[in-house]
Each structure stands twice: as structure tokens, then as C-alpha cells.
Coordinates of all heavy atoms in Angstrom, one line a residue:
A342 N -18.7 -80.1 -27.0 CA -19.8 -80.2 -26.0 C -19.4 -81.0 -24.9 O -18.7 -81.9 -24.9 CB -21.0 -80.8 -26.8
R343 N -20.0 -80.6 -23.7 CA -19.5 -81.3 -22.5 C -20.4 -82.7 -22.5 O -21.5 -82.7 -23.0 CB -20.0 -80.5 -21.3 CG -19.2 -79.3 -21.2 CD -19.5 -78.4 -20.0 NE -20.8 -77.7 -20.4 CZ -21.5 -77.0 -19.6 NH1 -21.1 -76.8 -18.4 NH2 -22.6 -76.4 -19.9
A344 N -19.8 -83.6 -21.8 CA -20.5 -85.0 -21.8 C -21.4 -85.0 -20.7 O -21.3 -84.4 -19.7 CB -19.3 -86.0 -21.7
L345 N -22.3 -86.0 -20.9 CA -23.4 -86.3 -19.8 C -22.6 -87.0 -18.8 O -21.8 -88.0 -19.2 CB -24.5 -87.2 -20.5 CG -25.5 -87.5 -19.5 CD1 -26.4 -86.4 -19.2 CD2 -26.5 -88.6 -20.2
P346 N -22.8 -86.7 -17.5 CA -22.2 -87.4 -16.5 C -22.5 -88.9 -16.6 O -23.7 -89.3 -16.7 CB -22.8 -86.8 -15.2 CG -23.2 -85.4 -15.6 CD -23.5 -85.6 -17.0
V347 N -21.5 -89.8 -16.5 CA -21.7 -91.2 -16.6 C -22.7 -91.8 -15.5 O -23.3 -92.7 -15.9 CB -20.2 -91.9 -16.5 CG1 -20.3 -93.4 -16.5 CG2 -19.3 -91.5 -17.7
V348 N -22.6 -91.2 -14.4 CA -23.4 -91.7 -13.2 C -24.9 -91.9 -13.6 O -25.6 -92.7 -13.2 CB -23.1 -91.0 -12.0 CG1 -23.7 -89.5 -12.0 CG2 -23.6 -91.8 -10.8
I349 N -25.4 -90.9 -14.3 CA -26.9 -90.9 -14.6 C -27.1 -92.0 -15.6 O -28.1 -92.8 -15.4 CB -27.3 -89.7 -15.2 CG1 -28.9 -89.6 -15.2 CG2 -26.8 -89.3 -16.5 CD1 -29.6 -89.6 -13.9
D350 N -26.2 -92.4 -16.5 CA -26.5 -93.5 -17.4 C -26.3 -94.8 -16.7 O -27.1 -95.8 -17.0 CB -25.6 -93.5 -18.6 CG -26.1 -92.5 -19.6 OD1 -27.3 -92.1 -19.7 OD2 -25.2 -91.8 -20.3
Q351 N -25.4 -94.8 -15.7 CA -25.3 -96.0 -14.9 C -26.5 -96.3 -14.1 O -26.9 -97.4 -13.9 CB -24.0 -95.9 -14.0 CG -22.6 -95.9 -14.8 CD -21.5 -95.6 -13.8 OE1 -21.6 -94.9 -12.8 NE2 -20.3 -96.0 -14.3
A352 N -27.0 -95.3 -13.4 CA -28.3 -95.3 -12.8 C -29.4 -95.8 -13.5 O -30.2 -96.7 -13.1 CB -28.6 -94.1 -12.0
L353 N -29.5 -95.4 -14.8 CA -30.6 -95.8 -15.7 C -30.4 -97.3 -16.1 O -31.3 -97.9 -16.4 CB -30.7 -94.8 -16.9 CG -31.5 -93.6 -16.6 CD1 -31.3 -92.5 -17.6 CD2 -33.0 -93.9 -16.4
A354 N -29.2 -97.6 -16.2 CA -29.0 -99.0 -16.5 C -29.5 -100.0 -15.4 O -30.0 -101.1 -15.7 CB -27.4 -99.4 -16.8
I355 N -29.4 -99.5 -14.2 CA -29.9 -100.3 -13.1 C -31.4 -100.2 -12.9 O -32.0 -101.2 -12.7 CB -29.3 -99.9 -11.7 CG1 -27.8 -100.1 -11.8 CG2 -29.9 -100.5 -10.6 CD1 -26.9 -99.5 -10.7
E356 N -31.9 -99.0 -13.1 CA -33.4 -98.7 -13.0 C -34.0 -98.0 -14.3 O -34.3 -96.8 -14.3 CB -33.6 -97.7 -11.8 CG -33.3 -98.3 -10.5 CD -34.3 -99.3 -10.1 OE1 -35.6 -99.3 -10.5 OE2 -34.1 -100.2 -9.2
P357 N -34.0 -98.8 -15.4 CA -34.5 -98.2 -16.6 C -35.9 -97.6 -16.6 O -36.3 -96.9 -17.5 CB -34.3 -99.3 -17.6 CG -34.3 -100.5 -16.9 CD -33.7 -100.2 -15.5
L358 N -36.7 -98.1 -15.7 CA -38.1 -97.6 -15.7 C -38.4 -96.6 -14.6 O -39.5 -96.3 -14.3 CB -38.9 -98.8 -15.4 CG -38.9 -100.0 -16.4 CD1 -39.8 -101.2 -15.9 CD2 -39.3 -99.5 -17.7
S359 N -37.4 -95.8 -14.2 CA -37.4 -94.7 -13.3 C -37.8 -93.5 -14.0 O -36.9 -92.8 -14.7 CB -36.2 -94.6 -12.4 OG -36.2 -93.4 -11.7
A360 N -38.9 -93.0 -13.9 CA -39.3 -91.6 -14.5 C -38.4 -90.6 -13.9 O -38.1 -89.6 -14.6 CB -40.7 -91.5 -14.2
L361 N -38.2 -90.7 -12.6 CA -37.3 -89.7 -11.9 C -36.0 -89.5 -12.6 O -35.5 -88.5 -12.8 CB -37.2 -90.0 -10.5 CG -36.3 -89.0 -9.7 CD1 -36.9 -87.6 -9.7 CD2 -36.1 -89.6 -8.3
L362 N -35.4 -90.7 -12.8 CA -33.9 -90.7 -13.4 C -34.1 -90.1 -14.8 O -33.1 -89.4 -15.2 CB -33.4 -92.1 -13.4 CG -33.0 -92.5 -12.0 CD1 -32.5 -94.0 -12.1 CD2 -31.9 -91.7 -11.4
H363 N -35.1 -90.4 -15.6 CA -35.2 -89.9 -16.9 C -35.3 -88.4 -16.8 O -34.8 -87.6 -17.7 CB -36.3 -90.5 -17.7 CG -36.0 -91.8 -18.2 ND1 -35.1 -92.1 -19.3 CD2 -36.4 -93.1 -17.7 CE1 -35.0 -93.4 -19.4 NE2 -35.8 -94.0 -18.4
G364 N -36.1 -87.9 -15.8 CA -36.2 -86.5 -15.6 C -34.9 -85.8 -15.3 O -34.6 -84.7 -15.8
V365 N -34.2 -86.5 -14.4 CA -32.8 -85.9 -13.9 C -31.9 -85.9 -15.2 O -31.2 -84.9 -15.4 CB -32.2 -86.8 -12.8 CG1 -30.8 -86.3 -12.7 CG2 -33.1 -86.6 -11.6
R366 N -31.9 -86.9 -16.0 CA -31.2 -86.9 -17.2 C -31.5 -85.7 -18.2 O -30.8 -85.0 -18.7 CB -31.3 -88.2 -17.9 CG -30.4 -88.4 -19.2 CD -30.5 -89.8 -19.7 NE -29.5 -90.1 -20.6 CZ -29.4 -89.9 -21.8 NH1 -30.4 -89.2 -22.5 NH2 -28.4 -90.2 -22.6
G367 N -32.9 -85.5 -18.3 CA -33.3 -84.3 -19.1 C -32.8 -83.0 -18.5 O -32.4 -82.2 -19.3
N368 N -32.8 -82.9 -17.2 CA -32.2 -81.6 -16.6 C -30.9 -81.4 -16.9 O -30.4 -80.3 -17.2 CB -32.5 -81.7 -15.1 CG -34.0 -81.6 -14.6 OD1 -34.9 -81.3 -15.4 ND2 -34.2 -82.1 -13.4
I369 N -30.1 -82.5 -16.8 CA -28.6 -82.5 -17.0 C -28.3 -82.0 -18.6 O -27.6 -81.1 -18.8 CB -27.9 -83.7 -16.7 CG1 -27.9 -83.9 -15.2 CG2 -26.5 -83.7 -17.2 CD1 -27.6 -85.4 -14.8
L370 N -29.2 -82.7 -19.4 CA -29.0 -82.4 -20.9 C -29.4 -81.0 -21.2 O -28.7 -80.3 -22.0 CB -29.8 -83.4 -21.7 CG -29.2 -84.8 -21.7 CD1 -30.3 -85.8 -22.1 CD2 -28.0 -84.9 -22.6
Q371 N -30.4 -80.5 -20.6 CA -30.9 -79.1 -20.7 C -29.7 -78.2 -20.3 O -29.5 -77.2 -20.9 CB -32.1 -78.8 -20.0 CG -32.7 -77.5 -20.2 CD -33.1 -77.0 -21.6 OE1 -33.3 -77.9 -22.5 NE2 -32.9 -75.8 -22.0
R372 N -29.2 -78.5 -19.2 CA -28.0 -77.6 -18.6 C -26.8 -77.7 -19.5 O -26.1 -76.7 -19.6 CB -27.6 -78.0 -17.2 CG -28.7 -77.9 -16.2 CD -28.8 -76.4 -15.7 NE -27.7 -75.7 -15.3 CZ -27.2 -75.5 -14.1 NH1 -27.9 -75.9 -13.0 NH2 -26.1 -74.8 -13.8
L373 N -26.7 -78.8 -20.3 CA -25.6 -78.9 -21.2 C -25.9 -78.3 -22.6 O -25.3 -78.5 -23.5 CB -25.2 -80.4 -21.4 CG -24.6 -81.1 -20.1 CD1 -24.4 -82.6 -20.3 CD2 -23.3 -80.4 -19.8
D374 N -27.0 -77.6 -22.6 CA -27.5 -77.0 -23.9 C -27.8 -78.0 -25.0 O -27.3 -77.8 -26.2 CB -26.5 -76.0 -24.4 CG -27.3 -74.9 -25.4 OD1 -28.4 -74.7 -25.4 OD2 -26.5 -74.4 -26.3
R375 N -28.4 -79.1 -24.6 CA -28.8 -80.2 -25.6 C -30.3 -80.4 -25.5 O -30.8 -81.3 -25.0 CB -27.9 -81.4 -25.2 CG -26.5 -81.3 -25.5 CD -25.7 -82.4 -25.0 NE -26.1 -83.7 -25.6 CZ -25.6 -84.8 -25.2 NH1 -24.8 -85.0 -24.2 NH2 -26.1 -86.0 -25.8
P376 N -31.1 -79.3 -25.9 CA -32.5 -79.4 -25.7 C -33.3 -80.6 -26.4 O -34.2 -81.1 -25.8 CB -33.0 -78.0 -26.3 CG -32.0 -77.6 -27.2 CD -30.7 -78.2 -26.7
L377 N -32.8 -81.0 -27.6 CA -33.5 -82.2 -28.3 C -33.3 -83.5 -27.5 O -34.2 -84.2 -27.2 CB -33.0 -82.3 -29.6 CG -33.4 -81.3 -30.6 CD1 -32.9 -81.4 -32.0 CD2 -35.0 -81.2 -30.8
A378 N -32.1 -83.7 -26.9 CA -31.8 -84.8 -26.1 C -32.5 -84.6 -24.8 O -33.1 -85.8 -24.3 CB -30.3 -85.0 -25.8
A379 N -32.7 -83.5 -24.3 CA -33.4 -83.3 -23.0 C -34.9 -83.6 -23.2 O -35.5 -84.4 -22.4 CB -33.3 -81.8 -22.5
L380 N -35.5 -83.2 -24.3 CA -36.9 -83.5 -24.6 C -37.0 -85.0 -24.7 O -38.1 -85.4 -24.2 CB -37.3 -82.9 -26.0 CG -37.7 -81.5 -25.9 CD1 -38.0 -80.9 -27.4 CD2 -39.0 -81.3 -25.1
E381 N -36.2 -85.7 -25.3 CA -36.3 -87.2 -25.4 C -36.3 -87.8 -24.1 O -37.0 -88.7 -23.7 CB -35.1 -87.7 -26.3 CG -35.2 -89.2 -26.4 CD -34.1 -89.7 -27.3 OE1 -33.8 -89.1 -28.4 OE2 -33.4 -90.7 -26.8
A382 N -35.5 -87.3 -23.2 CA -35.4 -87.9 -21.8 C -36.7 -87.5 -21.1 O -37.2 -88.4 -20.4 CB -34.2 -87.3 -21.1
Y383 N -37.1 -86.3 -21.2 CA -38.4 -85.9 -20.5 C -39.6 -86.8 -21.0 O -40.4 -87.3 -20.3 CB -38.7 -84.5 -20.7 CG -37.7 -83.5 -19.9 CD1 -37.3 -82.4 -20.6 CD2 -37.3 -83.9 -18.6 CE1 -36.4 -81.5 -19.9 CE2 -36.5 -83.0 -17.9 CZ -36.0 -81.8 -18.6 OH -35.2 -81.0 -18.0
E384 N -39.6 -87.0 -22.3 CA -40.7 -87.8 -22.9 C -40.7 -89.2 -22.4 O -41.7 -89.8 -22.1 CB -40.6 -87.7 -24.4 CG -40.9 -86.4 -25.1 CD -42.3 -85.8 -24.7 OE1 -43.2 -86.6 -24.6 OE2 -42.4 -84.6 -24.6
R385 N -39.5 -89.8 -22.3 CA -39.4 -91.1 -21.7 C -40.0 -91.1 -20.3 O -40.6 -92.0 -19.9 CB -38.0 -91.7 -21.7 CG -37.5 -92.1 -23.1 CD -36.2 -92.6 -23.0 NE -35.7 -92.8 -24.3 CZ -34.3 -93.0 -24.7 NH1 -33.5 -93.0 -23.7 NH2 -34.1 -93.2 -26.0
G386 N -39.6 -90.2 -19.5 CA -40.1 -90.0 -18.2 C -41.6 -89.9 -18.0 O -42.3 -90.5 -17.2
L387 N -42.2 -89.2 -19.0 CA -43.6 -89.0 -19.0 C -44.3 -90.2 -19.5 O -45.4 -90.5 -19.0 CB -44.0 -87.7 -20.0 CG -43.7 -86.5 -19.3 CD1 -43.9 -85.3 -20.3 CD2 -44.5 -86.2 -18.1
V388 N -43.7 -91.0 -20.3 CA -44.3 -92.3 -20.7 C -44.4 -93.2 -19.5 O -45.4 -93.9 -19.3 CB -43.5 -93.0 -21.9 CG1 -43.8 -94.4 -22.0 CG2 -43.8 -92.2 -23.2
L389 N -43.3 -93.2 -18.7 CA -43.4 -94.0 -17.5 C -44.3 -93.6 -16.4 O -44.8 -94.3 -15.6 CB -41.8 -94.1 -17.0 CG -40.9 -94.8 -18.0 CD1 -39.5 -94.6 -17.5 CD2 -41.2 -96.3 -18.1
E390 N -44.4 -92.3 -16.3 CA -45.2 -91.6 -15.2 C -45.9 -90.4 -15.8 O -45.5 -89.3 -15.7 CB -44.3 -91.2 -14.0 CG -45.1 -90.8 -12.9 CD -44.2 -90.4 -11.7 OE1 -43.2 -91.2 -11.5 OE2 -44.6 -89.5 -10.9
P391 N -47.0 -90.7 -16.5 CA -47.7 -89.6 -17.3 C -48.2 -88.5 -16.4 O -48.3 -87.3 -16.8 CB -49.0 -90.3 -17.9 CG -48.6 -91.7 -17.9 CD -47.7 -92.0 -16.7
R392 N -48.3 -88.6 -15.1 CA -48.8 -87.5 -14.2 C -47.5 -86.9 -13.5 O -47.7 -86.2 -12.5 CB -49.7 -88.0 -13.2 CG -51.0 -88.5 -13.8 CD -52.0 -89.0 -12.7 NE -53.2 -89.5 -13.4 CZ -54.3 -89.2 -13.0 NH1 -54.6 -88.4 -11.9 NH2 -55.4 -89.8 -13.6
G393 N -46.4 -87.2 -14.1 CA -45.2 -86.6 -13.5 C -45.1 -85.1 -13.7 O -44.5 -84.7 -14.6
T394 N -45.6 -84.3 -12.8 CA -45.8 -82.8 -13.0 C -44.4 -82.2 -13.1 O -44.3 -81.3 -13.9 CB -46.6 -82.3 -12.0 OG1 -46.1 -82.5 -10.7 CG2 -48.0 -82.6 -12.0
L395 N -43.5 -82.6 -12.4 CA -42.1 -82.0 -12.4 C -41.4 -82.2 -13.7 O -41.0 -81.2 -14.4 CB -41.2 -82.4 -11.3 CG -39.9 -81.8 -11.0 CD1 -40.1 -80.3 -10.8 CD2 -39.2 -82.5 -10.0
V396 N -41.5 -83.4 -14.3 CA -41.0 -83.7 -15.6 C -41.8 -82.9 -16.6 O -41.2 -82.3 -17.6 CB -41.0 -85.2 -15.9 CG1 -40.6 -85.5 -17.3 CG2 -40.1 -86.0 -14.8
Y397 N -43.1 -82.9 -16.5 CA -43.8 -82.2 -17.5 C -43.5 -80.7 -17.5 O -43.4 -80.1 -18.5 CB -45.4 -82.3 -17.1 CG -46.3 -81.9 -18.2 CD1 -46.5 -82.4 -19.4 CD2 -46.9 -80.6 -18.0 CE1 -47.3 -82.0 -20.3 CE2 -47.7 -80.1 -18.9 CZ -47.9 -80.7 -20.1 OH -48.8 -80.3 -21.0
R398 N -43.3 -80.1 -16.4 CA -43.0 -78.7 -16.2 C -41.6 -78.4 -16.9 O -41.3 -77.4 -17.5 CB -43.1 -78.2 -14.7 CG -42.8 -76.7 -14.5 CD -42.9 -76.5 -13.0 NE -42.0 -77.3 -12.3 CZ -40.8 -76.9 -11.8 NH1 -40.4 -75.6 -12.1 NH2 -40.2 -77.6 -11.0
N399 N -40.7 -79.3 -16.5 CA -39.3 -79.1 -16.9 C -39.1 -79.2 -18.4 O -38.2 -78.6 -19.0 CB -38.3 -80.1 -16.3 CG -38.1 -79.7 -14.8 OD1 -38.5 -78.6 -14.4 ND2 -37.6 -80.7 -14.0
R400 N -40.0 -79.9 -19.1 CA -39.9 -80.1 -20.5 C -40.2 -78.8 -21.3 O -39.9 -78.8 -22.4 CB -40.6 -81.4 -21.0 CG -42.1 -81.1 -21.1 CD -42.8 -82.5 -21.5 NE -43.2 -82.6 -22.8 CZ -44.2 -82.1 -23.4 NH1 -45.1 -81.3 -22.7 NH2 -44.5 -82.2 -24.6
A401 N -40.9 -77.9 -20.6 CA -41.2 -76.6 -21.3 C -40.1 -75.8 -21.8 O -40.1 -75.4 -22.9 CB -42.0 -75.8 -20.3
R402 N -39.0 -75.8 -21.1 CA -37.8 -75.0 -21.5 C -37.2 -75.4 -22.8 O -37.0 -74.6 -23.7 CB -36.8 -75.0 -20.3 CG -35.6 -74.2 -20.7 CD -35.9 -72.7 -20.6 NE -35.2 -72.0 -21.7 CZ -35.4 -70.7 -22.1 NH1 -36.4 -70.0 -21.6 NH2 -34.9 -70.2 -23.1
P403 N -36.9 -76.7 -22.9 CA -36.4 -77.3 -24.2 C -37.4 -77.1 -25.4 O -36.9 -76.9 -26.5 CB -35.9 -78.7 -24.0 CG -36.6 -79.2 -22.7 CD -36.8 -77.9 -21.9
L404 N -38.7 -77.2 -25.1 CA -39.7 -76.9 -26.2 C -39.5 -75.5 -26.7 O -39.6 -75.4 -27.9 CB -41.0 -77.3 -25.6 CG -41.5 -78.7 -25.5 CD1 -42.7 -78.9 -24.8 CD2 -41.5 -79.4 -26.9
V405 N -39.4 -74.6 -25.8 CA -39.2 -73.2 -26.2 C -37.9 -73.1 -26.9 O -37.9 -72.4 -28.0 CB -39.2 -72.3 -24.9 CG1 -38.8 -70.9 -25.4 CG2 -40.6 -72.2 -24.4
D406 N -36.8 -73.7 -26.5 CA -35.5 -73.6 -27.1 C -35.5 -74.2 -28.6 O -34.7 -73.7 -29.4 CB -34.4 -74.4 -26.3 CG -34.1 -73.7 -24.9 OD1 -34.6 -72.5 -24.8 OD2 -33.5 -74.3 -24.1
V407 N -36.3 -75.2 -28.8 CA -36.3 -75.8 -30.2 C -37.4 -75.1 -31.0 O -37.7 -75.7 -32.1 CB -36.5 -77.3 -30.1 CG1 -35.2 -77.8 -29.4 CG2 -37.7 -77.8 -29.6
G408 N -38.1 -74.1 -30.5 CA -39.0 -73.3 -31.3 C -40.5 -73.9 -31.4 O -41.3 -73.8 -32.3
K409 N -40.8 -74.6 -30.2 CA -42.1 -75.1 -30.1 C -42.8 -74.7 -28.8 O -43.3 -75.4 -28.0 CB -42.1 -76.7 -30.1 CG -41.6 -77.3 -31.3 CD -41.6 -78.8 -31.2 CE -41.0 -79.4 -32.6 NZ -41.0 -80.8 -32.5
P410 N -42.9 -73.4 -28.6 CA -43.5 -72.8 -27.4 C -44.9 -73.1 -27.1 O -45.3 -73.3 -26.1 CB -43.3 -71.3 -27.5 CG -43.2 -71.1 -29.0 CD -42.5 -72.3 -29.6
G411 N -45.7 -73.4 -28.3 CA -47.1 -73.8 -28.1 C -47.2 -75.1 -27.4 O -48.3 -75.3 -26.9
E412 N -46.3 -76.0 -27.6 CA -46.4 -77.3 -26.9 C -46.0 -77.2 -25.4 O -46.1 -78.1 -24.7 CB -45.5 -78.4 -27.7 CG -45.9 -78.7 -29.1 CD -45.2 -79.6 -29.7 OE1 -44.5 -80.5 -29.1 OE2 -44.9 -79.4 -31.0
A413 N -45.3 -76.1 -25.1 CA -44.9 -76.0 -23.7 C -46.1 -75.6 -22.7 O -45.8 -75.7 -21.5 CB -43.9 -74.9 -23.6
A414 N -47.2 -75.3 -23.2 CA -48.3 -74.8 -22.4 C -48.9 -76.0 -21.7 O -49.0 -77.0 -22.2 CB -49.3 -74.1 -23.2

């Protein structure tokens, strides 16, 4: 499996409360075909910013990938 780019984890080490960075991490993980890890990143982003519509929308794909399409609505 391909590794997560180090730069995103470095950015999160500096700004751990950034919903945007957690969303970006989720996007990268989804592209790396790691839907469970992507969901975790998206969920962290949504805890930090519950109205984060972009993160909320992006988490739909990994939900479908892990067999939970009903939660993607």
C-alpha cells in the first residue's frame, strides 16, 4: 500500500484542530484506497467543525466503499 504523504501529518502536528486538514487527510486516504482510515479522518474533521459540508459530503464515498451506503445520505 502506498504511504500517506508525510506533509499532511506534519501539518496536523502543527494544527491538530484543523477540520480542513483532517478533511484533506481523508481525501488522500480515500485516494489511497483506505476507506476506513479516510472515514476516521473525516469524522475527526466533523467533530471539529460539525457544519463542514465539504467534509460531510466527501465522507459519503468511503461509507459506500465499506458497505454503509445508508449512512452516506
Side-chain angles (χ1 to χ4, degrees):
R343 294 177 287 173
L345 182 68
V347 174
V348 69
I349 191 65
D350 287 331
Q351 290 172 338
L353 279 165
I355 295 167
E356 292 289 337
L358 300 179
S359 171
L361 175 65
L362 289 174
H363 285 285
V365 169
R366 187 173 195 276
N368 292 345
I369 293 167
L370 288 163
Q371 182 62 25
R372 295 286 308 259
L373 293 173
D374 197 29
R375 295 174 56 192
L377 290 174
L380 275 174
E381 182 180 308
Y383 291 140
E384 293 300 328
R385 285 186 187 159
L387 287 171
V388 166
L389 295 167
E390 189 177 322
R392 295 180 185 225
T394 56
L395 187 60
V396 173
Y397 186 79
R398 180 179 58 100
N399 287 344
R400 75 187 260 282
R402 183 73 219 165
L404 282 169
V405 170
D406 290 349
V407 298
K409 297 182 179 181
E412 295 180 36

